[in-house]
Structures are given as structure tokens and as C-alpha cells.
Amino acid sequence: MTRTTKTGRFAAEDRAAVLRELQEKPPELLVIGGGITGAGIALDAASRGLRTAVVEMQDFAAGTSSRSTKLVHGGLRYLKQLEIGVVAEVGKERAVVYENGPHVTTPEWMLLPLYAGGTFGKLSTSIGLRVYDFLAGVKRGERRVMLSARQTLAKEPLLKRDGLKGGGYYVEYRTDDARLTIEVMKKAVERGARAVNYAKVEELTYDAGGKLTGAVVRDGIGGGTYTVAAGRIVNAAGPWVDRVRELDGSKQGKTLRLTKGVHLVFDGVRFPLRQAVYFDTPDGRMVFAIPREGKTYFGTTDTNYAGDAAHPAMTEADRTYLLEAANFMFPELALTAADVESSWAGLRPLIQQEGKSPSEISRRDEIFVSPSGLVSIAGGKLTGYRKMAETVVDKVAELMLAEGGRKLPASGTKTIPISGGDLGGSANFEAYVRTKTGEGMRRGFSADEAAFLARRYGANAPRLFELAEAAKPWAAKHGLPLVLAVQLRYAMDDEMAATPADFLVRRSGSLFFRIAEVRARKAAVVAAMADRLGWTAGQREAYAADMDRLLAEAVEPQPE
């Protein structure tokens, strides 16, 4: 008997059932790629009434969408490049993303120090930030402030003093990119979409006239292939967009250019940054230093990349470059390679522009429609995911209507809270956290643990509190703290976490910001997941080895 899944259920144990369902009940729209762009498209399409499915060959957000600078930002650098349209659009989208998910996005005041002989002058920066505020529609309380040298050092005493003339002070938005992606995908599933990870498209199918009709999908965990018919297919595969176009025989004209960005993580005691800082390096690149969860992370590089898109990693050259940049701006620290606790590397799938360096390439997104009907979306930024998704679904709606299909309503995602974000807006978030902290304490969590869960999971926190009683014996059996056990159970049952890396890297961010905890808890997490999901001894060993590899890559430079 075929098992079916209920709308809104998003459990790891349901993966095979979802794939069978897609084969038996074809979706109207199949999205290839489960990063932030694919998740946004799924939510937009499902909320307009399209029967939608997403297949992702790795885990959700495993590519670019868990490896960014973790900022929903307006792109001040693009104003410098006179990309006015990009600044205006993504600047306004910051506030939309924040209001729809205040538990995963928060305003972050950013300091832009100004130095004699530097790229930015006081007058040009003042004017630029004012224009930035205007284009982005920044609310009054978050508009830029210009600071003297003394005021700038008061904000961040670690800054280099020589030649300091002052600073610009403006607001960006910090986010957890992977959790943002997961929360958007969960909302899409809640709206009726089907989504499955570790499901790779191996082949596209066509009718006699050469029109795209579906895809052959392989289950990377359970094995087996599924033929999924679909009315329309969108290629939102990020760094793999051109590979899907190759499957379609339509990789021509504009193509992707992959660039790599690396970030280093330091303990806050060794790099005690008080204030997020954005500055230009001696070679003209722009770098962020951001305090988060007792750590400071620093990046990014911007170099061409031609290696394995699934496994970009820090190299010796990347680490050296970033350490030199950090010591240039924060010379008193004298940071060395031994101070790097963790790192991550991600790829930017940009649209090729001949003659331009990686830092100069436009972050604009573009849609390509092939002769077979494949719709591909390339380029773009994390901040603009919702607007990109709206544009893609508008194009799909236009194509469907031209073929005699029904007329779809306009997008409504501007006012749809993502999963966990239905809190009545950002203004109510702190009051919500206070209320739910008390609820969590009544369930046996400490005040800090309850507040942590309320902040991380937002409106979904009560679900984790409810899991506490059932999770206690399971947590005790595997030696897991209760607060970690409920997160792990929730990740498997409600966020389709199917492997230890899904939880320790993407659902929690622990590999980046709590790497010592990952080392200490890795074996217990593997054992608990094996128990819950019924892994074989071989699967258990393979997943443990995968975590060992990820731990090593986070710390040790990899070959060029």
C-alpha cells in the first residue's frame, strides 16, 4: 500500500513517500533546486494555487544558500558600481524579509571606517549613504549617521587608528541564511508544495515535439528512480543551472561564472569585535567583520572557481588573504592561522561578463526560457529571493496562459510570513520571546534555553516545547542535552533533516559557530539519528565519516 503524506508534513522519514506521490500525482510545476531561490519559487507558486514540487540533489540550502556572508543587505557596493536598480530593489526587500521572518533576520548597525587615501571619502560616503537610504526606502530610525574619528573609535576600538578620518554608520540586516531557506521551504510545504532533498534530476523527458514533460529523479538515500511528469519545470539549481541546461541541450548564449567566497570564524575572546564593520582592503575589495554568538566571522574573498561545485573549501591562499586583511584593519590583534576556529566557502553563480573581475560582475538575476520550455533563473542575491521568485512565477504563469492554462492570481508573498514568522511583525518579536521563555521554562528548560528556542524558531517554538517530554528518554539514552535533543527531533520530523550534516551544519549552524560542540556531540547525534531513522551500520559509518570530513575542511586548508 502506498503511503501518502499530509499537507504541511516535512519529515525525513517521508522522503520516499513524497517521491512516490510525485510519480503518481504529477505536479503542475517542478522546481529543480532547493536553495533560497527554489524555496522562494515554491512558496510563491504554491500560494497562487499551483500544485508545486521541489527536488534538491543535496540537502536544502547545502550550496550557496548556507555559505553566504549571512546578511540580507542592500548592496552598498553596487551603488559604487552605479547599479541603481539592484540597490533600490534589494534595499526595499530587506524590510520585507525582516517583517516576514523576524526570528531569522535582525537589523545590524554597520560601521564603514573612512581613511585618508582610502576608496571612500567623507563627502562621497555621506552622499552615497544618503542616496542608499533613499533608494532602499530606509525608515527614519535606521538612516545613516556620519561619525568623527573619535566617535568611530568609540564604536569599535580595535580599528586601525592611522589615517582614520571618521566613519559612516548605517543599518544592514543579519540573517541565518540556511534557516531562512528552511523556513521559506516549510511555509511552501504548509501551503501544499511537496519538497524532497537528496533527490537528483538525472534526465529530462520530452514529448515527440521536443517539449519538456518531466524529469527522472534518483533518490540519493533510499535508492531507486522516479519519473516525475510536470506541466512546467523551473531550473533554480544555483551553481548547477548550466548543468541542467546541458541536460536540456540549451546551454547557449549567456552562461554562469562561478566565484568563490570564503569566511573565517574566530572566538570572540581572541577577536573581541564590538561592532559589525565593512571596509575596503588595500586591493580594493570589500570585507565584512561581524560579531555573532560569541564569535567574530570575517570575509569574504571573491575569486574565480572551476572546481567541484559541491565541495568548495578554504585554501591556504584564501586564509592568508583574509588574515592579512584582518590584520590590516585590526593591527593590534596580530591574528594567525592558529586563531581560526572554523571556516566556510560558498559559490556565487553569477552571469558571465567578459573582461570583468569577480568583484565587478553584476549580481543581477536573469530568466532564460529554452525552446523546450525549461525556465532557468540565474544570478541574483539572497536579499532579493522573494522578488526573484515572484518574477519567475509570473513568467511561468504567462507561459501557461499562452498554452491555454488558467490565469493565476498575482503574487502575495510580500505579506506572507515564513514558517515561524507569524508573530504580528517585528515589533512584537521581543514581547513574544519573553512570553514563550516562560512557557519553555514550565516545560523544563532553563531561562536561557527557552529564550534561545523562542528566538531561533519563532512561532514554531511551542512545537519544540511540546517535544520535550517525549524526547527526554531518547535524549538520556544517547547522552544529549534536552535542548539539543528537541532541536534534533524537530529537524528530523519537521525540517526533513536526513543526515547529521543536515542538522549540525544547516539546521543549527553549529559547525561554523560552535565547532567544539560539534566535535563533542557528533557521535551522540549520529547514534540518535540512526536510532530514529533506522540506519544500517554502513549508513551510520558513512555519515560519521562525512562529519569528520566536514570538520577537517572547516579548519584545514584544502588543495587548490
Side-chain angles (χ1 to χ4, degrees), residues 18-31 50-55 192-194 213-215 227-233 400:
V18 172
L19 287 166
R20 286 193 298 269
E21 183 180 339
L22 295 182
Q23 183 167 259
E24 295 164 8
K25 188 178 180 182
E28 295 173 285
L29 176 66
L30 177 64
V31 181
L50 271 181
R51 195 166 63 255
T52 304
V54 182
V55 291
R194 292 292 190 249
T213 59
T227 300
V228 180
R232 277 281 162 191
I233 297 183
M400 290 174 62

PDB file of all heavy atoms in Angstrom, residues 18-31 50-55 192-194 213-215 227-233 400:
ATOM      1  N   VAL A  18       7.102  10.910  -0.482  1.00  0.00           N
ATOM      2  CA  VAL A  18       6.939  12.120  -1.303  1.00  0.00           C
ATOM      3  C   VAL A  18       7.314  11.826  -2.752  1.00  0.00           C
ATOM      4  O   VAL A  18       6.595  12.214  -3.688  1.00  0.00           O
ATOM      5  CB  VAL A  18       7.795  13.277  -0.752  1.00  0.00           C
ATOM      6  CG1 VAL A  18       7.775  14.465  -1.721  1.00  0.00           C
ATOM      7  CG2 VAL A  18       7.290  13.727   0.619  1.00  0.00           C
ATOM      8  N   LEU A  19       8.417  11.128  -2.967  1.00  0.00           N
ATOM      9  CA  LEU A  19       8.841  10.805  -4.329  1.00  0.00           C
ATOM     10  C   LEU A  19       7.821   9.915  -5.036  1.00  0.00           C
ATOM     11  O   LEU A  19       7.519  10.115  -6.225  1.00  0.00           O
ATOM     12  CB  LEU A  19      10.215  10.141  -4.305  1.00  0.00           C
ATOM     13  CG  LEU A  19      11.385  11.085  -3.988  1.00  0.00           C
ATOM     14  CD1 LEU A  19      12.643  10.300  -3.659  1.00  0.00           C
ATOM     15  CD2 LEU A  19      11.626  12.038  -5.151  1.00  0.00           C
ATOM     16  N   ARG A  20       7.283   8.936  -4.315  1.00  0.00           N
ATOM     17  CA  ARG A  20       6.242   8.092  -4.924  1.00  0.00           C
ATOM     18  C   ARG A  20       5.016   8.914  -5.281  1.00  0.00           C
ATOM     19  O   ARG A  20       4.415   8.740  -6.349  1.00  0.00           O
ATOM     20  CB  ARG A  20       5.858   6.959  -3.965  1.00  0.00           C
ATOM     21  CG  ARG A  20       6.901   5.863  -3.852  1.00  0.00           C
ATOM     22  CD  ARG A  20       6.330   4.633  -3.154  1.00  0.00           C
ATOM     23  NE  ARG A  20       5.902   4.925  -1.786  1.00  0.00           N
ATOM     24  CZ  ARG A  20       6.691   4.787  -0.725  1.00  0.00           C
ATOM     25  NH1 ARG A  20       7.945   4.399  -0.873  1.00  0.00           N
ATOM     26  NH2 ARG A  20       6.220   5.043   0.487  1.00  0.00           N
ATOM     27  N   GLU A  21       4.663   9.821  -4.406  1.00  0.00           N
ATOM     28  CA  GLU A  21       3.489  10.664  -4.649  1.00  0.00           C
ATOM     29  C   GLU A  21       3.685  11.536  -5.889  1.00  0.00           C
ATOM     30  O   GLU A  21       2.761  11.721  -6.695  1.00  0.00           O
ATOM     31  CB  GLU A  21       3.219  11.541  -3.425  1.00  0.00           C
ATOM     32  CG  GLU A  21       1.970  12.406  -3.549  1.00  0.00           C
ATOM     33  CD  GLU A  21       1.734  13.257  -2.319  1.00  0.00           C
ATOM     34  OE1 GLU A  21       2.260  12.928  -1.239  1.00  0.00           O
ATOM     35  OE2 GLU A  21       1.010  14.267  -2.451  1.00  0.00           O
ATOM     36  N   LEU A  22       4.890  12.070  -6.056  1.00  0.00           N
ATOM     37  CA  LEU A  22       5.164  12.912  -7.220  1.00  0.00           C
ATOM     38  C   LEU A  22       5.071  12.104  -8.509  1.00  0.00           C
ATOM     39  O   LEU A  22       4.655  12.624  -9.556  1.00  0.00           O
ATOM     40  CB  LEU A  22       6.550  13.550  -7.104  1.00  0.00           C
ATOM     41  CG  LEU A  22       6.747  14.548  -5.960  1.00  0.00           C
ATOM     42  CD1 LEU A  22       8.142  15.139  -6.005  1.00  0.00           C
ATOM     43  CD2 LEU A  22       5.697  15.653  -6.011  1.00  0.00           C
ATOM     44  N   GLN A  23       5.485  10.840  -8.446  1.00  0.00           N
ATOM     45  CA  GLN A  23       5.394   9.992  -9.626  1.00  0.00           C
ATOM     46  C   GLN A  23       3.940   9.659  -9.960  1.00  0.00           C
ATOM     47  O   GLN A  23       3.554   9.610 -11.130  1.00  0.00           O
ATOM     48  CB  GLN A  23       6.188   8.702  -9.392  1.00  0.00           C
ATOM     49  CG  GLN A  23       6.225   7.779 -10.597  1.00  0.00           C
ATOM     50  CD  GLN A  23       7.260   6.687 -10.457  1.00  0.00           C
ATOM     51  OE1 GLN A  23       8.339   6.752 -11.013  1.00  0.00           O
ATOM     52  NE2 GLN A  23       6.930   5.647  -9.688  1.00  0.00           N
ATOM     53  N   GLU A  24       3.149   9.451  -8.929  1.00  0.00           N
ATOM     54  CA  GLU A  24       1.753   9.048  -9.131  1.00  0.00           C
ATOM     55  C   GLU A  24       0.814  10.231  -9.368  1.00  0.00           C
ATOM     56  O   GLU A  24      -0.213  10.094 -10.041  1.00  0.00           O
ATOM     57  CB  GLU A  24       1.284   8.244  -7.917  1.00  0.00           C
ATOM     58  CG  GLU A  24       2.023   6.914  -7.765  1.00  0.00           C
ATOM     59  CD  GLU A  24       1.844   6.302  -6.391  1.00  0.00           C
ATOM     60  OE1 GLU A  24       1.025   6.830  -5.604  1.00  0.00           O
ATOM     61  OE2 GLU A  24       2.516   5.285  -6.096  1.00  0.00           O
ATOM     62  N   LYS A  25       1.164  11.391  -8.810  1.00  0.00           N
ATOM     63  CA  LYS A  25       0.313  12.579  -8.948  1.00  0.00           C
ATOM     64  C   LYS A  25       1.183  13.740  -9.413  1.00  0.00           C
ATOM     65  O   LYS A  25       1.691  14.516  -8.621  1.00  0.00           O
ATOM     66  CB  LYS A  25      -0.359  12.918  -7.613  1.00  0.00           C
ATOM     67  CG  LYS A  25      -1.398  14.018  -7.713  1.00  0.00           C
ATOM     68  CD  LYS A  25      -2.049  14.267  -6.353  1.00  0.00           C
ATOM     69  CE  LYS A  25      -3.098  15.374  -6.446  1.00  0.00           C
ATOM     70  NZ  LYS A  25      -3.717  15.657  -5.119  1.00  0.00           N
ATOM     71  N   PRO A  26       1.383  13.863 -10.723  1.00  0.00           N
ATOM     72  CA  PRO A  26       2.328  14.849 -11.255  1.00  0.00           C
ATOM     73  C   PRO A  26       2.008  16.278 -10.821  1.00  0.00           C
ATOM     74  O   PRO A  26       0.839  16.686 -10.813  1.00  0.00           O
ATOM     75  CB  PRO A  26       2.173  14.700 -12.779  1.00  0.00           C
ATOM     76  CG  PRO A  26       1.653  13.317 -12.974  1.00  0.00           C
ATOM     77  CD  PRO A  26       0.753  13.065 -11.796  1.00  0.00           C
ATOM     78  N   PRO A  27       3.022  17.039 -10.470  1.00  0.00           N
ATOM     79  CA  PRO A  27       2.818  18.441 -10.125  1.00  0.00           C
ATOM     80  C   PRO A  27       2.606  19.286 -11.387  1.00  0.00           C
ATOM     81  O   PRO A  27       2.999  18.896 -12.487  1.00  0.00           O
ATOM     82  CB  PRO A  27       4.124  18.827  -9.435  1.00  0.00           C
ATOM     83  CG  PRO A  27       5.147  17.935 -10.071  1.00  0.00           C
ATOM     84  CD  PRO A  27       4.432  16.635 -10.320  1.00  0.00           C
ATOM     85  N   GLU A  28       1.991  20.419 -11.202  1.00  0.00           N
ATOM     86  CA  GLU A  28       1.889  21.374 -12.313  1.00  0.00           C
ATOM     87  C   GLU A  28       3.217  22.076 -12.534  1.00  0.00           C
ATOM     88  O   GLU A  28       3.560  22.443 -13.665  1.00  0.00           O
ATOM     89  CB  GLU A  28       0.802  22.414 -12.007  1.00  0.00           C
ATOM     90  CG  GLU A  28      -0.602  21.849 -11.924  1.00  0.00           C
ATOM     91  CD  GLU A  28      -1.589  22.887 -11.466  1.00  0.00           C
ATOM     92  OE1 GLU A  28      -1.610  23.206 -10.262  1.00  0.00           O
ATOM     93  OE2 GLU A  28      -2.358  23.394 -12.321  1.00  0.00           O
ATOM     94  N   LEU A  29       3.975  22.282 -11.448  1.00  0.00           N
ATOM     95  CA  LEU A  29       5.275  22.938 -11.538  1.00  0.00           C
ATOM     96  C   LEU A  29       6.297  22.137 -10.747  1.00  0.00           C
ATOM     97  O   LEU A  29       6.106  21.855  -9.565  1.00  0.00           O
ATOM     98  CB  LEU A  29       5.201  24.364 -10.971  1.00  0.00           C
ATOM     99  CG  LEU A  29       6.532  25.135 -10.929  1.00  0.00           C
ATOM    100  CD1 LEU A  29       7.023  25.415 -12.347  1.00  0.00           C
ATOM    101  CD2 LEU A  29       6.376  26.440 -10.146  1.00  0.00           C
ATOM    102  N   LEU A  30       7.400  21.769 -11.402  1.00  0.00           N
ATOM    103  CA  LEU A  30       8.516  21.082 -10.742  1.00  0.00           C
ATOM    104  C   LEU A  30       9.689  22.053 -10.694  1.00  0.00           C
ATOM    105  O   LEU A  30      10.124  22.566 -11.727  1.00  0.00           O
ATOM    106  CB  LEU A  30       8.914  19.824 -11.505  1.00  0.00           C
ATOM    107  CG  LEU A  30      10.126  19.066 -10.948  1.00  0.00           C
ATOM    108  CD1 LEU A  30       9.838  18.519  -9.557  1.00  0.00           C
ATOM    109  CD2 LEU A  30      10.533  17.936 -11.897  1.00  0.00           C
ATOM    110  N   VAL A  31      10.195  22.304  -9.494  1.00  0.00           N
ATOM    111  CA  VAL A  31      11.337  23.193  -9.303  1.00  0.00           C
ATOM    112  C   VAL A  31      12.569  22.343  -9.017  1.00  0.00           C
ATOM    113  O   VAL A  31      12.555  21.520  -8.100  1.00  0.00           O
ATOM    114  CB  VAL A  31      11.099  24.174  -8.128  1.00  0.00           C
ATOM    115  CG1 VAL A  31      12.289  25.106  -7.960  1.00  0.00           C
ATOM    116  CG2 VAL A  31       9.810  24.967  -8.344  1.00  0.00           C
ATOM    117  N   LEU A  50      -0.768  26.809  -7.477  1.00  0.00           N
ATOM    118  CA  LEU A  50      -0.142  25.827  -8.367  1.00  0.00           C
ATOM    119  C   LEU A  50       0.296  24.601  -7.558  1.00  0.00           C
ATOM    120  O   LEU A  50       0.884  24.739  -6.486  1.00  0.00           O
ATOM    121  CB  LEU A  50       1.097  26.417  -9.047  1.00  0.00           C
ATOM    122  CG  LEU A  50       0.929  27.158 -10.372  1.00  0.00           C
ATOM    123  CD1 LEU A  50       2.290  27.623 -10.868  1.00  0.00           C
ATOM    124  CD2 LEU A  50       0.278  26.274 -11.421  1.00  0.00           C
ATOM    125  N   ARG A  51      -0.008  23.423  -8.073  1.00  0.00           N
ATOM    126  CA  ARG A  51       0.465  22.190  -7.446  1.00  0.00           C
ATOM    127  C   ARG A  51       1.966  22.082  -7.741  1.00  0.00           C
ATOM    128  O   ARG A  51       2.372  21.855  -8.874  1.00  0.00           O
ATOM    129  CB  ARG A  51      -0.301  20.987  -7.992  1.00  0.00           C
ATOM    130  CG  ARG A  51      -0.129  19.725  -7.159  1.00  0.00           C
ATOM    131  CD  ARG A  51      -1.151  18.656  -7.533  1.00  0.00           C
ATOM    132  NE  ARG A  51      -0.994  18.202  -8.903  1.00  0.00           N
ATOM    133  CZ  ARG A  51      -1.811  18.536  -9.920  1.00  0.00           C
ATOM    134  NH1 ARG A  51      -2.852  19.321  -9.699  1.00  0.00           N
ATOM    135  NH2 ARG A  51      -1.599  18.078 -11.142  1.00  0.00           N
ATOM    136  N   THR A  52       2.784  22.273  -6.697  1.00  0.00           N
ATOM    137  CA  THR A  52       4.211  22.521  -6.854  1.00  0.00           C
ATOM    138  C   THR A  52       5.053  21.482  -6.138  1.00  0.00           C
ATOM    139  O   THR A  52       4.669  20.994  -5.075  1.00  0.00           O
ATOM    140  CB  THR A  52       4.552  23.926  -6.295  1.00  0.00           C
ATOM    141  OG1 THR A  52       3.737  24.908  -6.947  1.00  0.00           O
ATOM    142  CG2 THR A  52       6.016  24.271  -6.499  1.00  0.00           C
ATOM    143  N   ALA A  53       6.193  21.151  -6.723  1.00  0.00           N
ATOM    144  CA  ALA A  53       7.134  20.225  -6.091  1.00  0.00           C
ATOM    145  C   ALA A  53       8.548  20.759  -6.261  1.00  0.00           C
ATOM    146  O   ALA A  53       8.860  21.435  -7.245  1.00  0.00           O
ATOM    147  CB  ALA A  53       7.025  18.840  -6.706  1.00  0.00           C
ATOM    148  N   VAL A  54       9.410  20.439  -5.297  1.00  0.00           N
ATOM    149  CA  VAL A  54      10.824  20.816  -5.340  1.00  0.00           C
ATOM    150  C   VAL A  54      11.665  19.568  -5.143  1.00  0.00           C
ATOM    151  O   VAL A  54      11.410  18.782  -4.223  1.00  0.00           O
ATOM    152  CB  VAL A  54      11.181  21.825  -4.227  1.00  0.00           C
ATOM    153  CG1 VAL A  54      12.654  22.229  -4.326  1.00  0.00           C
ATOM    154  CG2 VAL A  54      10.290  23.044  -4.284  1.00  0.00           C
ATOM    155  N   VAL A  55      12.668  19.374  -5.989  1.00  0.00           N
ATOM    156  CA  VAL A  55      13.648  18.309  -5.782  1.00  0.00           C
ATOM    157  C   VAL A  55      15.027  18.948  -5.679  1.00  0.00           C
ATOM    158  O   VAL A  55      15.374  19.841  -6.440  1.00  0.00           O
ATOM    159  CB  VAL A  55      13.614  17.247  -6.905  1.00  0.00           C
ATOM    160  CG1 VAL A  55      12.334  16.436  -6.834  1.00  0.00           C
ATOM    161  CG2 VAL A  55      13.766  17.876  -8.284  1.00  0.00           C
ATOM    162  N   GLY A 192       1.061  23.589   0.659  1.00  0.00           N
ATOM    163  CA  GLY A 192       0.692  22.498  -0.236  1.00  0.00           C
ATOM    164  C   GLY A 192       1.771  21.989  -1.151  1.00  0.00           C
ATOM    165  O   GLY A 192       1.571  20.996  -1.863  1.00  0.00           O
ATOM    166  N   ALA A 193       2.932  22.646  -1.169  1.00  0.00           N
ATOM    167  CA  ALA A 193       4.035  22.172  -2.016  1.00  0.00           C
ATOM    168  C   ALA A 193       4.589  20.870  -1.458  1.00  0.00           C
ATOM    169  O   ALA A 193       4.434  20.553  -0.279  1.00  0.00           O
ATOM    170  CB  ALA A 193       5.136  23.221  -2.094  1.00  0.00           C
ATOM    171  N   ARG A 194       5.233  20.093  -2.313  1.00  0.00           N
ATOM    172  CA  ARG A 194       5.975  18.909  -1.910  1.00  0.00           C
ATOM    173  C   ARG A 194       7.447  19.199  -2.157  1.00  0.00           C
ATOM    174  O   ARG A 194       7.815  19.756  -3.186  1.00  0.00           O
ATOM    175  CB  ARG A 194       5.537  17.684  -2.723  1.00  0.00           C
ATOM    176  CG  ARG A 194       4.110  17.227  -2.412  1.00  0.00           C
ATOM    177  CD  ARG A 194       4.075  16.672  -1.009  1.00  0.00           C
ATOM    178  NE  ARG A 194       2.827  16.011  -0.691  1.00  0.00           N
ATOM    179  CZ  ARG A 194       1.935  16.473   0.173  1.00  0.00           C
ATOM    180  NH1 ARG A 194       2.135  17.636   0.774  1.00  0.00           N
ATOM    181  NH2 ARG A 194       0.845  15.796   0.451  1.00  0.00           N
ATOM    182  N   THR A 213       8.550  17.481 -20.629  1.00  0.00           N
ATOM    183  CA  THR A 213       7.374  16.894 -19.976  1.00  0.00           C
ATOM    184  C   THR A 213       7.639  16.432 -18.540  1.00  0.00           C
ATOM    185  O   THR A 213       6.698  16.122 -17.809  1.00  0.00           O
ATOM    186  CB  THR A 213       6.856  15.682 -20.769  1.00  0.00           C
ATOM    187  OG1 THR A 213       7.906  14.701 -20.867  1.00  0.00           O
ATOM    188  CG2 THR A 213       6.392  16.096 -22.164  1.00  0.00           C
ATOM    189  N   GLY A 214       8.914  16.357 -18.138  1.00  0.00           N
ATOM    190  CA  GLY A 214       9.170  15.879 -16.787  1.00  0.00           C
ATOM    191  C   GLY A 214      10.633  15.577 -16.560  1.00  0.00           C
ATOM    192  O   GLY A 214      11.505  16.014 -17.322  1.00  0.00           O
ATOM    193  N   ALA A 215      10.896  14.811 -15.499  1.00  0.00           N
ATOM    194  CA  ALA A 215      12.268  14.504 -15.127  1.00  0.00           C
ATOM    195  C   ALA A 215      12.352  13.132 -14.472  1.00  0.00           C
ATOM    196  O   ALA A 215      11.395  12.666 -13.856  1.00  0.00           O
ATOM    197  CB  ALA A 215      12.796  15.564 -14.159  1.00  0.00           C
ATOM    198  N   THR A 227      10.034   8.666 -12.130  1.00  0.00           N
ATOM    199  CA  THR A 227       9.756   9.526 -13.265  1.00  0.00           C
ATOM    200  C   THR A 227       8.626  10.471 -12.877  1.00  0.00           C
ATOM    201  O   THR A 227       7.504  10.040 -12.576  1.00  0.00           O
ATOM    202  CB  THR A 227       9.357   8.709 -14.499  1.00  0.00           C
ATOM    203  OG1 THR A 227      10.439   7.830 -14.831  1.00  0.00           O
ATOM    204  CG2 THR A 227       9.067   9.613 -15.683  1.00  0.00           C
ATOM    205  N   VAL A 228       8.964  11.755 -12.852  1.00  0.00           N
ATOM    206  CA  VAL A 228       8.016  12.770 -12.406  1.00  0.00           C
ATOM    207  C   VAL A 228       7.599  13.622 -13.601  1.00  0.00           C
ATOM    208  O   VAL A 228       8.411  14.359 -14.172  1.00  0.00           O
ATOM    209  CB  VAL A 228       8.647  13.664 -11.316  1.00  0.00           C
ATOM    210  CG1 VAL A 228       7.651  14.725 -10.857  1.00  0.00           C
ATOM    211  CG2 VAL A 228       9.118  12.824 -10.138  1.00  0.00           C
ATOM    212  N   ALA A 229       6.346  13.498 -14.001  1.00  0.00           N
ATOM    213  CA  ALA A 229       5.821  14.353 -15.066  1.00  0.00           C
ATOM    214  C   ALA A 229       5.481  15.712 -14.467  1.00  0.00           C
ATOM    215  O   ALA A 229       5.158  15.819 -13.277  1.00  0.00           O
ATOM    216  CB  ALA A 229       4.575  13.722 -15.677  1.00  0.00           C
ATOM    217  N   ALA A 230       5.569  16.756 -15.276  1.00  0.00           N
ATOM    218  CA  ALA A 230       5.259  18.098 -14.771  1.00  0.00           C
ATOM    219  C   ALA A 230       4.805  18.978 -15.922  1.00  0.00           C
ATOM    220  O   ALA A 230       5.318  18.875 -17.043  1.00  0.00           O
ATOM    221  CB  ALA A 230       6.482  18.703 -14.105  1.00  0.00           C
ATOM    222  N   GLY A 231       3.861  19.850 -15.623  1.00  0.00           N
ATOM    223  CA  GLY A 231       3.386  20.781 -16.640  1.00  0.00           C
ATOM    224  C   GLY A 231       4.460  21.782 -17.033  1.00  0.00           C
ATOM    225  O   GLY A 231       4.608  22.135 -18.201  1.00  0.00           O
ATOM    226  N   ARG A 232       5.222  22.227 -16.039  1.00  0.00           N
ATOM    227  CA  ARG A 232       6.318  23.171 -16.260  1.00  0.00           C
ATOM    228  C   ARG A 232       7.475  22.819 -15.343  1.00  0.00           C
ATOM    229  O   ARG A 232       7.270  22.325 -14.230  1.00  0.00           O
ATOM    230  CB  ARG A 232       5.880  24.603 -15.950  1.00  0.00           C
ATOM    231  CG  ARG A 232       5.145  25.295 -17.071  1.00  0.00           C
ATOM    232  CD  ARG A 232       6.120  25.801 -18.135  1.00  0.00           C
ATOM    233  NE  ARG A 232       5.440  26.076 -19.381  1.00  0.00           N
ATOM    234  CZ  ARG A 232       6.046  26.330 -20.523  1.00  0.00           C
ATOM    235  NH1 ARG A 232       7.365  26.343 -20.594  1.00  0.00           N
ATOM    236  NH2 ARG A 232       5.363  26.559 -21.610  1.00  0.00           N
ATOM    237  N   ILE A 233       8.704  23.086 -15.789  1.00  0.00           N
ATOM    238  CA  ILE A 233       9.882  22.857 -14.955  1.00  0.00           C
ATOM    239  C   ILE A 233      10.689  24.150 -14.876  1.00  0.00           C
ATOM    240  O   ILE A 233      10.970  24.791 -15.889  1.00  0.00           O
ATOM    241  CB  ILE A 233      10.759  21.723 -15.507  1.00  0.00           C
ATOM    242  CG1 ILE A 233       9.975  20.399 -15.483  1.00  0.00           C
ATOM    243  CG2 ILE A 233      12.045  21.587 -14.694  1.00  0.00           C
ATOM    244  CD1 ILE A 233      10.763  19.192 -15.945  1.00  0.00           C
ATOM    245  N   MET A 400       2.006  29.466 -19.168  1.00  0.00           N
ATOM    246  CA  MET A 400       0.857  28.585 -19.012  1.00  0.00           C
ATOM    247  C   MET A 400      -0.385  29.183 -19.660  1.00  0.00           C
ATOM    248  O   MET A 400      -1.155  28.484 -20.332  1.00  0.00           O
ATOM    249  CB  MET A 400       0.600  28.322 -17.526  1.00  0.00           C
ATOM    250  CG  MET A 400       1.655  27.451 -16.863  1.00  0.00           C
ATOM    251  SD  MET A 400       1.416  27.304 -15.069  1.00  0.00           S
ATOM    252  CE  MET A 400      -0.183  26.512 -15.000  1.00  0.00           C
TER     253      MET A 400
END
